[in-house]
Amino acid sequence: MKRIVRRAVKVGLAASAALGILAFASSGLRDVLLDAYLLAIGGVLLLALVRTTRAKAPASGPSELGRALERMKAIPADSGEISLVRDLELSTMSAFHLHVRLRPLLREIAAHRLRKRYGVELDSEPERARELIGTAAWELVRPHRPPPAERLAHGPPLSHLREVVDELERV
């Protein structure tokens, strides 16, 4: 603690000397220099008080924030399965969610399977792709499918989405 007080006194004396010299050397800046002096001395005192408080405080374990961060690190990262289940549920409730969130994923799966197994591009060969994909899946993955006219309309039932997935698995 003596070191903290000694350092604060040294910095305070240095600031006093510097601003005192500037006050005698300049004629019109005395009010500004007085404000700067009071601000500097206040900052030095505040810093000394914070350091003294920290030195006197009992050493404790991690804070609430530290414990929360440790708990967050202990939770395993999301594998994506939870978000996919959530997207499926929301797609049954909203046709727009189906179009914006689930459809791109289904299109990616369909395009990959068509390209890998048959050498067919989903967007450039839609006639051939339609023959290979079932009708329920084609309705969702077809190129240039417009978004739903009514954004708040209900999406298809889960049984229909299950049928779409089954058709994509058969590709």
Side-chain angles (χ1 to χ4, degrees):
M1 187 162 117
K2 290 181 183 180
R3 182 173 166 238
I4 295 171
V5 173
R6 220 176 310 129
R7 182 186 280 176
V9 169
K10 284 181 186 177
V11 173
L13 288 175
S16 298
L19 288 172
I21 292 171
L22 283 173
F24 285 118
S26 64
S27 61
L29 297 174
R30 289 189 181 165
D31 291 336
V32 174
L33 290 174
L34 178 63
D35 290 342
Y37 173 73
L38 292 175
L39 186 64
I41 295 300
V44 169
L45 289 174
L46 185 61
L47 185 60
L49 286 173
V50 167
R51 287 183 175 171
T52 303
T53 304
R54 187 183 304 153
K56 296 264 184 187
S60 63
S63 66
E64 284 292 321
L65 177 63
R67 286 191 291 273
L69 287 173
E70 289 302 318
R71 283 193 305 266
M72 286 176 61
K73 288 179 185 175
I75 296 172
D78 181 21
S79 64
E81 185 176 327
I82 294 172
S83 63
L84 182 59
V85 169
R86 184 173 161 266
D87 280 340
L88 279 170
E89 289 174 357
L90 291 173
S91 293
T92 62
M93 295 179 214
S94 167
F96 186 71
H97 191 274
L98 172 75
H99 184 79
V100 172
R101 297 286 297 199
L102 195 59
R103 181 177 178 265
L105 179 63
L106 295 174
R107 277 185 54 79
E108 185 178 327
I109 292 169
H112 176 74
R113 286 179 167 256
L114 287 170
R115 188 178 317 111
K116 201 75 162 162
R117 295 195 176 147
Y118 301 103
V120 174
E121 291 295 324
L122 180 65
D123 291 328
S124 60
E125 302 174 75
E127 297 84 20
R128 180 74 176 123
R130 184 177 189 165
E131 293 171 7
L132 297 169
I133 297 177
T135 55
W138 177 252
E139 180 54 37
L140 279 178
V141 300
R142 67 185 169 95
H144 311 296
R145 180 180 190 260
E150 189 178 334
R151 290 182 172 214
L152 300 177
H154 284 284
L158 196 56
S159 60
H160 180 74
L161 294 176
R162 189 174 291 121
E163 181 184 347
V164 169
V165 171
D166 290 341
E167 286 179 359
L168 288 177
E169 285 179 348
R170 283 191 291 263
V171 172

